[in-house]
Each structure stands twice: as C-alpha cells, then as structure tokens.
Amino acid sequence: MSEQASAQNDQQRRYREFMDLLPLTLALAGLPPSEVGRYYTEQQIETRLFAVRHAYKAGRGLVKEIITK
C-alpha cells in the first residue's frame, strides 16, 4: 500500500470515528440550539467550539475505556 493511500485511509477512519462520536459529543457538550433568526457572536461560537472539543475528547476517552474492558 502506498504512503498516500495509507494516509487517505487513516483520514477516512478518523472522519468515520468523528461522525460516529458526534451524537455523543453533542449530548456531552449540552449546548442548546440557537433561536430562529438569532445568530451567535464570535465569542459565543468560540465558547461553543471549546465545549464541543472537550466533549469530543471526553466521549472518545469514554468509548476507548468501555471497549478495552
């Protein structure tokens, strides 16, 4: 397998992992949906991104912990 194909497979695997964890991530982040017609400020978006990043790390860690037991 070429290095490029291996890198592409790894990228696809990480994408699938992210998509599989997305429902858990959003549930752990606990972010409310926006109101219709209202937009988030840049500060609010950054805060939400912070929450999602940390929820993803926690969710990924939880799943790894569960499948290794």
Side-chain angles (χ1 to χ4, degrees):
M1 184 181 279
S2 73
E3 186 176 316
Q4 183 180 9
S6 177
Q8 186 176 17
N9 286 341
D10 188 48
Q11 184 179 17
Q12 287 176 346
R13 180 191 57 77
R14 286 184 280 137
Y15 178 78
R16 281 191 309 270
E17 178 184 321
F18 173 77
M19 293 304 291
D20 288 344
L21 287 173
L22 192 55
L24 175 61
T25 298
L26 295 176
L28 289 173
L31 299 171
S34 65
E35 296 176 21
V36 177
R38 292 194 60 194
Y39 300 101
Y40 292 114
T41 65
E42 187 174 338
Q43 175 74 29
Q44 289 171 317
I45 292 171
E46 288 178 19
T47 301
R48 291 171 72 88
L49 284 172
F50 181 81
V52 170
R53 282 187 186 114
H54 286 280
Y56 176 75
K57 289 178 186 177
R60 192 172 79 190
L62 173 67
V63 170
K64 284 183 180 182
E65 179 183 322
I66 290 171
I67 61 177
T68 57
K69 286 188 174 183

